[in-house]
Amino acid sequence: MAKPPFLPCLLFVASALLSTSCSAVPRKMVAFYELKKGDFSVKVTNWGAIITSVVLPDSKGNLGDVVLGYDGLGPYLNNSPHFGAVVGRVANRISGARFVLNGKAYRLSKNSGNNTLHGGHRGFSSVIWTVKEKVDGEFPYITLYYHSFDGEQGFPGALDVFVTYEISAPYELSIAMCAKSLNKATPVNLAQHSYWNLGGHGSGTILSNTVQIFASKITPVDANLIPTGAYMPVSGTPYDFLKPMTVGSRIDKVPPGYDINYVLDQPIGSNGMRKVAVVKDGDGSGRAFELWANQPGVQFYTGNFLNDVKGKGGHIYGIHAGLCLETQGFPDSVNHPEFPSQIVNPGEDYKHNMLFKFSF
């Protein structure tokens, strides 16, 4: 019998409340860990809580790794594309690297022009996480933990953060990201930043992939990729993926590619999540996935800034070598009261669940 989904994350949030101070945590070492069920496997590292590979068969039974990444740990230490990482404390961009909360102005680390991107210079993608538990067996999982201190990268309040990766069924990857604010109200918006290429990580571009996104609106952005605060219908625009479309069919209309937050339409279902998107490989592998999540938005990004990055096996990743579907709260919500709030008050829990259902 399958255990309840996302249980490890919930258990460890509770146990964190009984833990001692951060200084009492044993010395943390960086390593790679594998979850495996049959011919489906997922590898992660506790540096940045990064997914380093996802291997599954194609329609002919040939195994392939479908996420972009590097060989070995070294290149991940300066992982500017954020391959496979958990990004936070606040994913995406914060305008002017500042916000006001409860009457107090907070100034953040600037790492994207005048703005903050993915938590700042040393966001959650650039720290060592503690392995709290790794369990093999029928439904293998690993739970990682990070304590973010009050004032880290300018954000208020101490935060305990947990990420659980689990093979929850054959060819299904569940991801549970949760956090607890310990002493101050703070924004929290975690995202999983894997770059997918269902033809295989070194197979070329994703322009022939078919994508369907269950969202009838986007949050448009200015020249610095900061949301304007408006909601824009996708109907009649190159952003309309309500029906399956190839990525490359209209990408020339939005140079250099897609990098936008979609406002999801589907209601939350009995599994506590909504259907977000479907992606299918267009080059004959037969691989596809459905993405489900409990967040209100998803960032669709087509690897526009990949510039001949040397990846796994010596493969060179150029522009559009992978696509990201980062479920999230809306970008820059701390500066847009009209957006759903991402503020977590002391004692409250932040919960972000995702499910990838693969087929071939």
Side-chain angles (χ1 to χ4, degrees), residues 133-170:
E133 187 175 24
K134 182 179 184 295
V135 174
D136 298 318
E138 185 178 6
F139 303 106
Y141 67 87
I142 186 170
T143 295
L144 307 173
Y145 163 74
Y146 179 67
H147 175 81
S148 180
F149 60 86
D150 185 3
E152 186 171 15
Q153 300 297 295
F155 289 99
L159 192 73
D160 279 337
V161 189
F162 297 82
V163 176
T164 295
Y165 295 114
E166 178 186 15
I167 297 179
S168 53

Side-chain angles (χ1 to χ4, degrees), residues 25 32 66 105 107 122 149 174 180 199 214 221 245 247 251 289 344 359:
V25 174
F32 292 85
V66 297
R107 300 190 181 278
R122 190 176 178 271
F149 60 86
S174 297
K180 181 175 286 289
F214 299 96
V221 295
M245 300 287 291
V247 176
I251 201 169
F289 69 71
V344 179
S359 58

Side-chain angles (χ1 to χ4, degrees), residues 317-335:
Y317 304 143
I319 187 172
H320 309 319
L323 63 84
C324 302
L325 286 164
E326 308 157 59
T327 53
Q328 60 180 3
F330 295 173
D332 200 30
S333 63
V334 289
N335 291 310

Side-chain angles (χ1 to χ4, degrees), residues 24-359:
V25 174
R27 183 182 177 195
K28 294 177 287 188
M29 305 296 290
V30 175
F32 292 85
Y33 304 87
E34 183 177 33
L35 308 176
K36 188 172 178 63
K37 185 175 179 65
D39 55 5
F40 180 48
S41 67
V42 179
K43 291 183 180 178
V44 305
T45 175
N46 59 319
W47 174 262
I50 291 169
I51 293 176
T52 62
S53 76
V54 176
V55 174
L56 71 153
D58 65 9
S59 58
K60 298 177 181 178
N62 300 312
L63 297 180
D65 184 354
V66 297
V67 294
L68 276 57
Y70 301 111
D71 289 323
L73 177 64
Y76 284 109
L77 301 181
N78 185 26
N79 183 16
S80 57
H82 299 93
F83 285 148
V86 169
V87 293
R89 179 178 305 196
V90 174
N92 220 296
R93 291 168 177 84
I94 295 178
S95 176
R98 70 182 301 276
F99 63 92
V100 176
L101 178 58
N102 295 334
K104 182 176 180 178
Y106 293 93
R107 300 190 181 278
L108 310 174
S109 169
K110 296 180 180 180
N111 65 327
S112 179
N114 197 41
N115 307 310
T116 298
L117 175 65
H118 294 331
H121 287 287
R122 190 176 178 271
F124 294 174
S125 60
S126 299
V127 299
I128 301 175
W129 294 60
T130 298
V131 178
K132 298 295 287 186
E133 187 175 24
K134 182 179 184 295
V135 174
D136 298 318
E138 185 178 6
F139 303 106
Y141 67 87
I142 186 170
T143 295
L144 307 173
Y145 163 74
Y146 179 67
H147 175 81
S148 180
F149 60 86
D150 185 3
E152 186 171 15
Q153 300 297 295
F155 289 99
L159 192 73
D160 279 337
V161 189
F162 297 82
V163 176
T164 295
Y165 295 114
E166 178 186 15
I167 297 179
S168 53
Y171 308 108
E172 292 189 6
L173 172 62
S174 297
I175 304 172
M177 298 183 281
C178 45
K180 181 175 286 289
S181 174
L182 300 182
N183 53 11
K184 293 180 183 178
T186 186
V188 181
N189 188 15
L190 307 180
Q192 217 298 326
H193 208 293
S194 286
Y195 289 67
W196 301 94
N197 187 324
L198 291 175
H201 73 93
S203 64
T205 75
I206 43 77
L207 296 179
S208 65
N209 281 198
T210 297
V211 172
Q212 184 176 18
I213 302 174
F214 299 96
S216 57
K217 296 178 183 178
I218 58 170
T219 51
V221 295
D222 63 19
N224 294 312
L225 300 177
I226 299 295
T228 63
Y231 294 87
M232 187 182 88
V234 299
S235 179
T237 77
Y239 296 101
D240 188 350
F241 285 90
L242 283 166
K243 295 181 178 179
M245 300 287 291
T246 60
V247 176
S249 59
R250 299 158 297 169
I251 201 169
D252 60 319
K253 305 288 196 303
V254 289
Y258 294 96
D259 192 4
I260 198 74
N261 175 64
Y262 282 78
V263 180
L264 296 170
D265 291 336
Q266 297 289 307
I268 295 290
S270 59
N271 63 354
M273 293 179 283
R274 55 169 56 89
K275 195 173 186 179
V276 175
V278 177
V279 180
K280 296 181 179 180
D281 180 37
D283 291 328
S285 75
R287 296 190 187 99
F289 69 71
E290 292 182 3
L291 172 59
W292 295 69
N294 66 344
Q295 295 298 292
V298 62
Q299 189 82 10
F300 179 40
Y301 173 58
T302 50
N304 310 328
F305 302 112
L306 295 177
N307 182 21
D308 294 337
V309 178
K310 185 177 180 180
K312 289 180 281 192
H315 289 285
I316 303 299
Y317 304 143
I319 187 172
H320 309 319
L323 63 84
C324 302
L325 286 164
E326 308 157 59
T327 53
Q328 60 180 3
F330 295 173
D332 200 30
S333 63
V334 289
N335 291 310
H336 289 283
E338 66 274 22
F339 287 171
S341 175
Q342 295 297 305
I343 302 303
V344 179
N345 292 304
E348 292 181 348
D349 293 332
Y350 164 92
K351 298 176 183 178
H352 181 172
N353 296 332
M354 307 172 65
L355 176 63
F356 290 89
K357 296 183 176 183
F358 296 94
S359 58

